[in-house]
Amino acid sequence: MATAKNAKPASRQSANNRGGDDRYPIPPPTLPSNPTNDNNEMGFLIAFLSMVVVFGLLLPILAMMYFDILETKQETKRQQEVMQRLINKTKEEDDSNSRVTPR
């Protein structure tokens, strides 16, 4: 009888439960899957072709924007020079008119 007091109950260990409480079973480890080489090559090919298409469209657009910006900068500089000449001309006219003595 003494041994019956100290005897442990039978544990319920299985593949999903490695001992302990049944409320928190430990899931089995996931096994890595090796995809076939064909999927990798096809995915790489699709990604490569899409990048070529994107860069093929993007580079000409960026080049057009760059040249448009350069042209706009030159036009702005030209207009600033014209405005500065007009400002200087009006200042000279004001100075020459102020030098004339009224009768």
Side-chain angles (χ1 to χ4, degrees):
M1 287 299 232
T3 58
K5 282 185 179 178
N6 295 334
K8 293 183 179 177
S11 64
R12 296 171 28 188
Q13 291 184 356
S14 66
N16 290 335
N17 185 10
R18 290 175 178 77
D21 200 355
D22 285 339
R23 290 179 293 179
Y24 304 107
I26 299 171
T30 58
L31 299 174
S33 62
N34 293 328
T36 60
N37 201 15
D38 294 337
N39 285 343
N40 288 340
E41 289 177 4
M42 190 63 164
F44 175 76
L45 185 62
I46 290 171
F48 181 74
L49 289 176
S50 62
M51 287 190 321
V52 166
V53 167
V54 166
F55 285 125
L57 294 174
L58 227 128
L59 287 176
I61 291 172
L62 289 175
M64 285 188 291
M65 286 176 57
Y66 176 73
F67 287 120
D68 189 42
I69 289 171
L70 284 180
E71 184 181 337
T72 306
K73 284 171 72 175
Q74 290 174 353
E75 181 65 28
T76 304
K77 187 175 181 179
R78 229 177 298 138
Q79 288 179 1
Q80 284 178 343
E81 290 171 355
V82 168
M83 289 301 294
Q84 190 63 40
R85 273 190 248 130
L86 289 173
I87 290 171
N88 291 339
K89 185 177 178 181
T90 56
K91 281 184 182 179
E92 287 175 6
E93 288 176 359
D94 287 343
D95 288 344
S96 64
N97 289 338
S98 65
R99 292 183 192 157
V100 175
T101 57
R103 293 186 181 177

